[in-house]
Amino acid sequence: MPDTGLDTDLENAEQVVIGNGIGARVRRKEDKRFLTGKGRYADDINRPGQTHAYFVRSQVAHADIKNLDTSAAEKAEGVIAVLTGADVAADELGGLPCGWGIMGKNDVPMHEPPHPILAIGTVRHVGDPIAVVIAETKKQAKAAAQLIDVTLEEKPAVANIRAALADGAPLVHDGAPGNVAFDWEIGDRAAMEEAFANAAHVAEIDIDNNRLIPNAIEPRVAVAEFDTGTGDYTLFVTSQNPHVHRLLIAAFVLHIPEEKFRVVAPDVGGGFGSKIFPYPEESVVTWAAAKLGRPVKWTAERSESFMTDAHGRDHVSHAELALDKDGKFLALKVSTLANLGGYVSAFGGAVPTFLYAPLLAGTYTTPAIYCEVKGVFTHTVPVDAYRGAGRPEATYLLERLVDRAARETGLSQVDIRRKNFIQPDAFPYQTPVASCYDSGDYEATLSSALKKADVDGFEKRKADAALRGKKRGLGFSTYLEACGVAPSAVAGQLGARAGLYESAVVRVHPTGGVTVFTGTHSHGQSHETTFAQLVNDRLGVGLEHIEVVHGDTARIQFGMGTYGSRSLAVGGEALIRAMDKVIEKGKKIAAHLMEASENDIEFEGGSFKVTGTDKETPFGAVAFAAYVPHNYPLETLEPGLEETAFFDPLNFTFPGGCHICEVEVDPATGVTEVVNFTAVDDVGRVINPMIVEGQVHGGVTQGIGQALLEGCVYDDNGQLLTGSYMDYTMPRADNVPSYNVGTELTLCAHNTLGVKGVGEVGAIGSPPAVINAIVDALSDLGVTDVSMPATSQNVWRAIQAAGGAK
Amino acid sequence: MTEVTMTVNGKSVTADVEPDTLLADFIRQNLSLTGTHVGCDTSQCGACCVLVDGDSMKSCTMLAVQADGAEITTIEGLATNGTFHPMQQAFHDNHALQCGFCTPGMLISAIDLATKNPDISESEIRHGLEGNLCRCTGYHNIVKAVKAGADAMRG
Ligand code: FES
Ligand code: FES
């Protein structure tokens, strides 16, 4: 294949775009280093004179630290220091901050207990760090940790939401009576109640959203050093947002000058949310590196990842949907309990509130919605954003409830959705739960998916399966999500303590090459390619002459990082605006070079042209002139060609689409196989279809993982039972099918590119499609519900509860 | 300390190691070949796979001393004279990697599978990769790439 970067795959022929700009299937610029073992991940970094940290962690869920004797460990071979909560207190370090405050009912703010970086007095989950041993080698640190004498007075623990809310339950924090961190509501309760009073039918569901462990394949790492001469700190860390890490650690935890603190997030091996938040270990090694005057490295073992990376989901909900006699939705009422874990993590309060309830209208015109959410402390690791963050929980609840309503009213899954869709001419569409959607065409994604999934041929496939003794089912999810995080003003009103804009610098070099400095961070998302395509498209510079730099606070202005599918919708737009400034300045330079009026210059096809003449100057010549300014009109024009833009969006973006899952269940064993999965998503304009499809494949697999395989289990005492890959079932290649994915596009109305975001759609849309398919397959056995994860055991139990396989 | 000698990516290396040094640590730390990754502590993720005498092995589950005398190929040894191995090329063409962390182990396992079963089917690929976790790609493009790479390796 010639190296055109174009796809020659015929099934995608309609999407072939000539060139390397917007819409082209360009193969990735970042691949070469990853394919040859030359990626540079944080654990690949070693600093001269480096020492190694090992953390001593609580092995129980709840205890008071009665005695902590580190003297034997301090004397062990190779040990340099042992630090504990007493040292943290003595140095007056701060706790880990929370990035988002929640105002509950009656203006009662969320309870935000301190979260020390090494436990002070009390431990609140298995894995809570008690002490750190720093030694010449990791082996020595680990061996010395065994010599620490710690006496824990174990106390009763609450390991799940129901236990935490029981009468007389032990308290996780004294300041949170009943273990409730906040009790929050959204929507018009009276309007909802009135609509329910007039309903012809009410569908109800009790629904749990299973707790997940993120499991990026690269474990968390932190390597810190301190220059005793200059007082400069450097931290190499597995982060999705190095500037946010720098700001929070410097200002809130260590109280060190931000300008003396460099945070580098080099190649990062997946994040999925879990690498957004500041964790204790990163602050501890930075603090220790300065105290000891030597670099300190910590790499999580996988078992530490299981017990310390912020977990995801974990909701218990009850919901009711009121319908009129024709199946139109009149009102929705939702009551949700959300597990926060032992402390409030950075976005722990926002995920089950503002990233959840504003999605409850989904793609439907439901006029009245009311939702209340209680955030609940438990003796488990903190819960925070995991791919989708709040939106998968909302989607799962709503799409399961719509599925049930269709079954109860006798409408088809397609008809009930079509009856209730927001129509394409209704945008902008104000929902009753704060979100205002800008664009979408839900009928288009639905009908495209129906075709792609060959829904017409389903009955025949079902009959064939029956001959083999299998139950075949079809499940739908016509979902919507909100991303492009976030309009700062809106986020601020909702309790965010920072703006969520993004920045870009475009530096044009004298030879015409371009470096883009972006405040977003790529840990699998392929920004080096996608952003280069934007530059190629706008400035006409060849991809090989475009460098995209991210992940280093010393090189990049400021940035909020990557999460909430924001990089292109917010960061990409900042890049477009910086390029527009470059073009504006280039026009001035070109006007000077061609002795024309600036107003007569247009930029087209990589060249500055004088309108109505054949005079032109290529972009590269303008770049050169910018840096070699002979005869330059210095009074009106500065040398150089480099521009900065910050972009703050006016609204969230609202990708949506239709996922259709087809399963086969063995009714004798409950073994369930996803035999077909179709996803047609509207993610706005597609820059690189190959990359977009890859994001959907990965997201859908995480969604199927949640639906069928994954589930974090704590026992009643708060012991983590799923603490390794032997116990926590990750989706593997033989658990999932090949996918059938496509896009239908409407453009986002409030960014130039018209992009909406694709990082999370797969994980948001897919779980209800899978479970609805299982319910469909087993409906003639009387099964109406199967809980996630739908392991063979859970499915088999559901069949037995309904009276067994017939 | 025990002396070990092995051939790594065509070069002979000899070193003194602690008897409990894992092959993965030996490769990453002693040889500074950081392309081989460590993603777990229970022999489950496959990020650490290297070819040991032609077989894909989890280098986190082998001691360096067990590899004494062996011929090892790591991800750094796959390309020749700056040209991708056909499997590397297939991963690139099919977008079979996102964050790249699982990629070294995936490539090694893929080469092992394609060498032993040149006309490998999709379901054989999926079962054959059961010991390699990827959290990013959903496996779809990896499976496509392994098929394409196997075809290219057959010539
Ligand atoms: S590091 Fe996970 S299997 Fe070797
Ligand atoms: S590409 Fe990220 S784990 Fe496979």
Side-chain angles (χ1 to χ4, degrees):
Chain A
M1 195 158 102
D3 193 17
T4 57
L6 295 180
D7 194 301
T8 51
D9 184 348
L10 281 182
E11 66 182 65
N12 298 305
E14 76 282 3
Q15 291 171 329
V16 168
V17 171
I18 303 303
N20 289 327
I22 291 175
R25 277 176 183 272
V26 176
R27 282 170 293 158
R28 297 200 318 168
K29 284 168 69 73
E30 44 273 81
D31 279 0
K32 189 171 173 210
R33 66 178 187 276
F34 296 137
L35 286 167
T36 54
K38 297 290 160 54
R40 193 173 186 243
Y41 300 87
D43 189 52
D44 302 340
I45 291 166
N46 294 299
R47 305 303 299 157
Q50 160 180 299
T51 64
H52 296 265
Y54 185 80
F55 285 84
V56 177
R57 301 181 182 280
S58 175
Q59 297 183 4
V60 299
H62 187 201
D64 285 339
I65 303 170
K66 282 296 165 202
N67 181 46
L68 185 53
D69 180 359
T70 60
S71 52
E74 279 162 32
K75 289 187 210 104
E77 190 190 348
V79 171
I80 300 154
V82 180
L83 300 170
T84 68
D87 301 294
V88 170
D91 284 7
E92 296 180 5
L93 302 184
L96 296 176
C98 178
W100 202 304
I102 302 300
M103 191 54 81
K105 292 174 184 167
N106 305 318
D107 289 339
V108 178
M110 171 172 80
H111 181 66
E112 273 181 66
H115 186 180
I117 58 174
L118 292 173
I120 298 175
T122 302
V123 286
R124 291 189 175 83
H125 64 86
V126 167
D128 216 355
I130 295 172
V132 62
V133 181
I134 294 159
E136 297 294 343
T137 69
K138 184 165 181 181
K139 208 166 146 186
Q140 288 168 335
K142 217 169 161 172
Q146 307 299 320
L147 304 174
I148 292 183
D149 187 9
V150 48
T151 311
L152 295 180
E153 185 179 274
E154 198 172 345
K155 297 164 80 177
V158 286
N160 58 58
I161 291 172
R162 291 178 176 99
L165 294 178
D167 280 346
L171 291 186
V172 182
H173 296 281
D174 291 340
N179 290 316
V180 174
F182 57 79
D183 183 1
W184 175 89
E185 64 183 344
I186 190 171
D188 184 339
R189 183 175 202 140
M192 177 276 294
E193 281 169 353
E194 196 185 318
F196 266 87
N198 298 318
H201 182 80
V202 174
E204 285 186 48
I205 197 163
D206 284 300
I207 194 162
D208 289 4
N209 203 286
N210 46 331
R211 183 174 177 122
L212 303 177
I213 304 180
N215 273 309
I217 305 298
E218 178 201 30
R220 288 191 295 115
V221 179
V223 187
E225 64 186 336
F226 179 70
D227 186 322
T228 48
T230 61
D232 287 335
Y233 294 80
T234 305
L235 171 67
F236 300 91
V237 62
T238 45
S239 169
Q240 301 179 212
N241 32 234
H243 290 89
V244 176
H245 262 92
R246 180 179 65 166
L247 175 63
L248 297 181
I249 293 173
F252 293 92
V253 185
L254 301 184
H255 311 306
I256 59 178
E258 197 181 355
E259 66 279 9
K260 291 297 232 180
F261 187 21
R262 174 183 177 200
V263 177
V264 184
D267 288 328
V268 171
F272 314 108
S274 68
K275 292 170 182 169
I276 298 173
F277 332 112
Y279 288 96
E281 298 85 358
E282 305 146 357
S283 287
V284 168
V285 297
T286 308
W287 169 55
K291 258 179 129 56
L292 309 177
R294 288 181 63 183
V296 182
K297 178 171 186 170
W298 170 77
T299 299
E301 296 181 357
R302 178 57 57 181
S303 47
E304 289 182 287
S305 313
F306 274 99
M307 64 175 122
T308 67
D309 290 5
H311 292 178
R313 319 286 192 252
D314 205 348
H315 284 193
V316 171
S317 298
H318 175 79
E320 298 176 23
L321 179 66
L323 298 93
D324 74 8
K325 62 178 187 351
D326 301 320
K328 278 286 265 183
F329 304 159
L330 299 175
L332 175 67
K333 173 184 176 186
V334 178
S335 162
T336 291
L337 306 171
N339 195 341
L340 300 180
Y343 305 95
V344 188
S345 180
F347 297 102
V351 170
T353 53
F354 293 108
L355 295 176
Y356 169 70
L359 271 297
L360 287 169
T363 50
Y364 313 114
T365 53
T366 319
I369 301 177
Y370 173 77
C371 173
E372 52 191 351
V373 181
K374 274 191 187 142
V376 181
F377 286 118
T378 59
H379 290 107
T380 62
V381 75
V383 178
D384 206 320
Y386 167 65
R387 201 170 194 170
R391 292 148 289 162
E393 294 90 316
T395 302
Y396 182 63
L397 177 138
L398 185 61
E399 290 298 311
R400 289 289 323 279
L401 187 53
V402 168
D403 183 278
R404 179 167 289 186
R407 291 178 191 284
E408 289 177 357
T409 56
L411 285 165
S412 79
Q413 295 297 340
V414 169
D415 287 346
I416 197 168
R417 289 173 163 84
R418 283 193 166 136
K419 255 181 205 300
N420 288 286
F421 274 160
I422 298 161
Q423 295 303 311
D425 58 6
F427 296 97
Y429 181 83
Q430 179 61 53
T431 70
V433 274
S435 298
C436 182
Y437 306 160
D438 63 309
S439 65
D441 185 343
Y442 311 126
E443 175 56 37
T445 42
L446 171 64
S447 48
S448 167
L450 289 173
K451 233 186 271 152
K452 249 182 158 22
D454 185 24
V455 168
D456 288 345
F458 173 71
E459 286 305 325
K460 165 142 191 355
R461 296 193 294 278
K462 182 177 165 128
D464 291 347
L467 294 177
R468 289 180 279 111
K470 297 286 178 65
K471 298 274 183 195
R472 205 160 170 123
L474 203 56
F476 292 82
S477 163
T478 46
Y479 75 95
L480 171 132
E481 69 125 330
C483 62
V485 179
S488 298
V490 180
Q493 284 162 16
L494 301 179
R497 290 171 178 158
L500 288 160
Y501 52 81
E502 198 43 81
S503 75
V505 165
V506 173
R507 178 176 300 162
V508 184
H509 301 279
T511 49
V514 171
T515 305
V516 172
F517 299 87
T518 173
T520 64
H521 186 275
S522 183
H523 29 281
Q525 293 88 343
S526 321
H527 298 168
E528 287 165 52
T529 305
T530 303
F531 284 16
Q533 286 180 258
L534 296 184
V535 176
N536 172 268
D537 203 88
R538 201 80 162 190
L539 301 181
V541 177
L543 290 184
E544 65 283 15
H545 298 300
I546 303 162
E547 192 66 20
V548 177
V549 177
H550 60 82
D552 185 347
T553 60
R555 296 187 72 189
I556 290 144
Q557 55 292 347
F558 195 82
M560 300 304 290
T562 287
Y563 41 80
S565 306
R566 67 189 305 273
S567 297
L568 197 53
V570 191
E573 185 68 17
L575 171 56
I576 293 288
R577 290 178 182 221
M579 287 195 286
D580 285 349
K581 291 185 187 175
V582 164
I583 292 171
E584 279 319 299
K585 183 161 182 195
K587 282 183 179 171
K588 292 197 174 81
I589 301 169
H592 162 68
L593 293 176
M594 293 188 282
E595 296 175 336
S597 152
E598 190 191 324
N599 295 331
D600 292 337
I601 306 285
E602 53 191 42
F603 184 66
E604 201 195 310
S607 212
F608 293 92
K609 299 178 177 161
V610 183
T611 347
T613 74
D614 57 0
K615 277 203 210 165
E616 61 178 289
T617 308
F619 183 77
V622 167
F624 188 72
Y627 289 94
V628 188
H630 302 307
N631 305 323
Y632 227 48
L634 292 171
E635 325 69 56
T636 53
L637 206 51
E638 286 175 23
L641 194 53
E642 171 170 325
E643 297 290 347
T644 304
F646 278 68
F647 173 69
D648 196 349
L650 290 172
N651 194 355
F652 292 87
T653 61
F654 297 95
C658 177
H659 290 189
I660 300 178
C661 179
E662 197 163 328
V663 296
E664 267 191 20
V665 183
D666 180 341
T669 62
V671 169
T672 300
E673 191 188 350
V674 174
V675 287
N676 267 316
F677 197 101
T678 302
V680 178
D681 302 295
D682 173 5
V683 299
R685 192 184 309 285
V686 171
I687 308 303
N688 184 326
M690 176 191 84
I691 289 168
V692 163
E693 288 161 11
Q695 288 293 313
V696 175
H697 297 154
V700 167
T701 302
Q702 278 172 313
I704 293 177
Q706 166 160 35
L708 294 185
L709 306 164
E710 298 180 42
C712 166
V713 182
Y714 281 95
D715 75 7
D716 289 344
N717 299 318
Q719 279 302 329
L720 178 62
L721 300 185
T722 50
S724 83
Y725 285 142
M726 315 279 278
D727 312 295
Y728 183 91
T729 317
M730 293 279 283
R732 294 171 188 268
D734 55 356
N735 297 129
V736 290
S738 285
Y739 301 114
N740 198 357
V741 308
T743 51
E744 286 291 330
L745 125 182
T746 61
L747 295 179
C748 173
H750 49 78
N751 60 55
T752 323
L753 287 166
V755 296
K756 298 185 181 182
V758 67
E760 297 161 291
V761 294
I764 292 169
S766 57
V770 179
I771 300 298
N772 288 341
I774 299 174
V775 170
D776 184 53
L778 303 177
S779 60
D780 62 347
L781 299 179
V783 171
T784 56
D785 193 18
V786 176
S787 55
M788 296 196 292
T791 56
S792 48
Q793 189 192 53
N794 277 347
V795 173
W796 184 84
R797 281 184 194 281
I799 295 170
Q800 299 315 304
K806 291 166 192 121
Chain B
M1 287 286 190
T2 313
E3 189 184 276
V4 291
T5 299
M6 59 188 96
T7 307
V8 179
N9 300 332
K11 280 192 211 107
S12 175
V13 295
T14 299
D16 282 332
V17 297
E18 300 275 359
D20 61 353
T21 302
L22 298 174
L23 180 59
D25 291 338
F26 179 72
I27 291 170
R28 286 182 56 79
Q29 272 134 45
N30 296 50
L31 305 181
S32 297
L33 293 172
T34 54
T36 298
H37 296 154
V38 174
C40 74
D41 44 17
T42 52
S43 298
Q44 292 283 310
C45 76
C48 61
C49 288
V50 298
L51 290 174
V52 179
D53 295 327
D55 291 325
S56 173
M57 302 287 272
K58 289 178 169 168
S59 64
C60 72
T61 314
M62 245 182 110
L63 299 170
V65 292
Q66 289 176 293
D68 191 36
E71 183 131 357
I72 309 276
T73 306
T74 70
I75 184 170
E76 289 91 344
L78 295 180
T80 35
N81 302 326
T83 306
F84 278 160
H85 182 285
M87 196 58 82
Q88 288 171 310
Q89 186 66 43
F91 269 57
H92 180 50
D93 292 342
N94 289 283
H95 185 35
L97 60 154
Q98 291 181 20
C99 78
F101 199 79
C102 71
T103 309
M106 282 288 177
L107 279 169
I108 295 289
S109 290
I111 290 168
D112 175 289
L113 289 173
T115 309
K116 293 173 182 164
N117 183 1
D119 192 20
I120 192 163
S121 69
E122 168 169 350
S123 111
E124 287 169 332
I125 294 170
R126 287 189 178 274
H127 287 289
L129 290 179
E130 208 248 1
N132 291 78
L133 291 176
C134 174
R135 196 53 149 167
C136 299
T137 65
Y139 306 102
H140 178 110
N141 286 341
I142 292 179
V143 173
K144 255 171 90 177
V146 175
K147 183 74 191 137
D151 289 347
M153 280 166 67
R154 259 188 342 215

